[in-house]
Amino acid sequence: GERPVAFTVNEAWQMLRLGESLDYGTCEGQRRDGMRCTMAVNTACSRYCKYHQPRNGGGGGGGGSRPGGFAGMDMRSNG
């Protein structure tokens, strides 16, 4: 079988942010102009950004999307 992998980091310089994630995706909602939403989302949590979350368990997408901004994920830099 496979063995688990573990890393020990003693100093900040030993880390390198690669900038990719298995859980990165784009919202599956639809904008008011009919195009697919381009907001980034954490697919482990949801397939939709906060503006396109299905409401009351019905259907998908829809709802108001504001132009610009970044509603799906926190993009603050750590360094």
Side-chain angles (χ1 to χ4, degrees):
E2 294 181 25
R3 296 172 53 192
V5 176
F7 296 95
T8 300
V9 178
N10 297 313
E11 302 287 336
W13 62 266
Q14 294 175 320
M15 292 293 296
L16 175 64
R17 183 170 49 156
L18 299 177
E20 295 185 19
S21 171
L22 293 174
D23 296 325
Y24 173 84
T26 55
C27 176
E28 294 185 11
Q30 189 176 32
R31 300 185 317 207
R32 289 182 183 173
D33 64 3
M35 300 296 291
R36 185 166 171 176
C37 181
T38 57
M39 295 290 231
V41 296
N42 179 347
T43 59
C45 298
S46 176
R47 297 181 308 163
Y48 300 96
C49 70
K50 70 179 184 178
Y51 298 110
H52 292 115
Q53 285 291 325
R55 293 185 183 23
N56 300 327
S65 177
R66 292 191 309 211
F70 194 78
M73 298 169 60
D74 185 2
M75 296 300 289
R76 287 176 282 180
S77 176
N78 289 334

